[in-house]
Amino acid sequence: MPRRLIGLAVLLGLFVSFAAAAEPFAIDLEVHSGKASKTAHAESAAPDAKPAERGVLEIKAGDRVTVQWKLNAADKAKHEDVTVHFFAVKEEQPGQPAPPKLNKGVVAESALTMDFGAEAKNEGELTFTIAKPGSYLFRLETIGAAEGLDGHEDFAAIDVTAR
Amino acid sequence: MKRLSCLIACLALAASPFSARAEHARIDLKLIHIDPDTGAEGDSVSANADREPPAGGYNDRPVAKVKAGEPLELAFFLTNTYPHGVIKDVTVRYYVVREEKIGQKAVPDLKKGTLTEGQFTMNFKPQCRVGAHVAFTVPEPGNYLLRVETLNTDSDHEHFSAIDVVADKAP
C-alpha cells in the first residue's frame, strides 16, 4: 500500500509539475495577516479553463494584510509589454466564479507594464488594512500576454474573509 | 473586459509618446478624500516629481488637511522617461508614515511602522508605467508623509513625489 501511495504521489507530482509548466507565466501569490497565510499559483484564464477552488484566508476587519507576489515567464519566451494587474475588491461571496467589477469596493489596485523573458521577473508587496467586514477577492493577473491561437492570460487568486 | 478599471485604462496611455525631459521619471501623486457613504472621490491634493539628492528634494511639499478616521485614497502613476534602454530590477516604493513636522527633509524610519506601504521590483523600459491606488485612513491626529519613490535606478539620483498630510481630530 505504501508503495502505491508513493507511486501515486510521484504521478501526482509529475502531473502538477506538467500542469504548472504548461502555463506561460509562473506566479507565486501569498496573502498573510499575522501568522495566517494562504498561497496560490498560476492558472489559465482561458475561457474554457476550469478555475481551481480558491483558498480562503480569514482575518479580522481592521487588521493589516500583506500580499506578496513573484511573477516570471515560465516558458522563458519573450513577452513584450505585459501588464501585471493586482486588485483586492469586495465580492458577493467567497469562491464566486466571476471577479467583481472594479468600479466599487476596491481596497487596493496596482498595475505595471514590463517585458518578460528568460530572466525578467516582477515582484510586488502591498500592505494595507481592510476596514470593513466582508469577503474580498485578491487576484493577480496578466493582461496582454496572450499570443497565438492557444494563447491565454494567467492569474492567481485568493479569497480573504474579514470578520 | 468591462471589469478593467480606470487604472488599467490610464496605464495604456503609456503608449503615447510624451516629451522626454531631463528628468527620468514623471510622477503624478494624489491624496483623495473619499465620501464615506458613496465611496465617490472628493477633493484631492496633488504632487509631481522631485529628485534626491539633496535630501528632501528641491520643491516644497503640498499639504493635505484631513480628519482622523476619514476614508482616504492614495493614487499614483510613475512613468519612466529615461530613453536609453532597460534598467533592471528597479524598485518603486510608496508609503504613508508618521513624521515629526511638516516639510521635514529627512524621511522617517519606516521600520517604526507605516499606515500603508507597498513596493514593486521590475525592469524599467522607456515609457513603462507603474501605478496604484490604495484605500486607507489616518487613525490618529498628527503629521504624516505620503511618498512614492524610485530605488536602484543605477543613477546618481532618485525620483520621488510626496505630500504632507495633517490629520486633525475627527469632529
Side-chain angles (χ1 to χ4, degrees), chain B residues 22-43:
Chain B
E23 296 302 335
H24 300 153
R26 186 175 56 252
I27 305 174
D28 299 307
L29 174 67
K30 279 186 181 180
L31 178 76
I32 306 164
H33 295 266
I34 301 295
D35 186 296
D37 298 322
T38 66
E41 292 186 1
D43 294 341

Side-chain angles (χ1 to χ4, degrees), chain A residues 64 107 109 111 123 125 127, chain B residues 5 114 116-117 119 121 131 133:
Chain A
R64 281 163 70 93
V107 182
E109 182 182 15
E123 295 181 358
E125 178 175 336
T127 298
Chain B
S5 66
T114 59
T116 185
E117 63 183 305
Q119 62 178 37
T121 304
H133 62 104

Side-chain angles (χ1 to χ4, degrees), chain A residues 64 69 80-81 83-87 98-103 106-115 119-129 132 139 141 143, chain B residues 1-8 11 14 36 73 77 86 88-89 94 113-125 127-136:
Chain A
R64 281 163 70 93
W69 70 80
E80 292 191 339
D81 295 322
T83 297
V84 179
H85 183 213
F86 166 77
F87 57 83
K101 290 182 180 176
L102 300 182
N103 55 0
V106 176
V107 182
E109 182 182 15
S110 70
L112 59 90
T113 53
M114 65 176 274
D115 294 346
E119 294 180 0
K121 67 178 185 302
N122 163 234
E123 295 181 358
E125 178 175 336
L126 312 184
T127 298
F128 50 90
T129 301
K132 295 179 181 175
R139 177 173 162 126
E141 61 189 11
I143 299 172
Chain B
M1 283 294 166
K2 284 180 184 172
R3 183 170 54 81
L4 294 187
S5 66
C6 180
L7 186 74
I8 296 295
L11 202 70
E73 183 175 290
F77 272 107
V86 174
K88 291 186 176 179
D89 297 328
Y94 69 85
T114 59
L115 295 185
T116 185
E117 63 183 305
Q119 62 178 37
F120 311 91
T121 304
M122 59 187 285
N123 291 351
F124 262 24
K125 68 184 284 189
Q127 293 301 323
C128 75
R129 293 188 99 187
V130 53
H133 62 104
V134 180
F136 73 102

Side-chain angles (χ1 to χ4, degrees), chain B:
Chain B
M1 283 294 166
K2 284 180 184 172
R3 183 170 54 81
L4 294 187
S5 66
C6 180
L7 186 74
I8 296 295
C10 292
L11 202 70
L13 291 175
S16 304
F18 291 95
S19 61
R21 294 177 293 177
E23 296 302 335
H24 300 153
R26 186 175 56 252
I27 305 174
D28 299 307
L29 174 67
K30 279 186 181 180
L31 178 76
I32 306 164
H33 295 266
I34 301 295
D35 186 296
D37 298 322
T38 66
E41 292 186 1
D43 294 341
S44 64
V45 173
S46 302
N48 295 316
D50 203 339
R51 57 186 280 179
E52 287 182 331
Y58 291 92
N59 305 320
D60 291 337
R61 294 195 288 270
V63 178
K65 296 196 172 183
V66 306
K67 301 289 184 194
E70 77 162 304
L72 302 167
E73 183 175 290
L74 69 86
F76 72 87
F77 272 107
L78 184 150
T79 305
N80 171 36
T81 55
Y82 177 73
H84 305 298
V86 174
I87 312 167
K88 291 186 176 179
D89 297 328
V90 173
T91 295
V92 175
R93 179 169 73 170
Y94 69 85
Y95 47 84
V96 180
V97 64
R98 192 148 194 168
E99 64 182 351
E100 290 290 319
K101 58 180 181 179
I102 296 304
Q104 72 180 55
K105 293 295 184 185
V107 171
D109 184 359
L110 302 187
K111 291 176 184 169
K112 291 182 178 176
T114 59
L115 295 185
T116 185
E117 63 183 305
Q119 62 178 37
F120 311 91
T121 304
M122 59 187 285
N123 291 351
F124 262 24
K125 68 184 284 189
Q127 293 301 323
C128 75
R129 293 188 99 187
V130 53
H133 62 104
V134 180
F136 73 102
T137 58
V138 176
E140 297 174 357
N143 300 326
Y144 297 83
L145 172 65
L146 162 60
R147 178 170 155 131
V148 57
E149 63 193 14
T150 61
L151 303 169
N152 196 34
T153 58
D154 195 23
S155 169
D156 60 358
H157 65 274
E158 298 287 351
H159 292 276
F160 73 95
S161 182
I163 296 171
D164 283 323
V165 181
V166 179
D168 289 332
K169 200 172 176 181

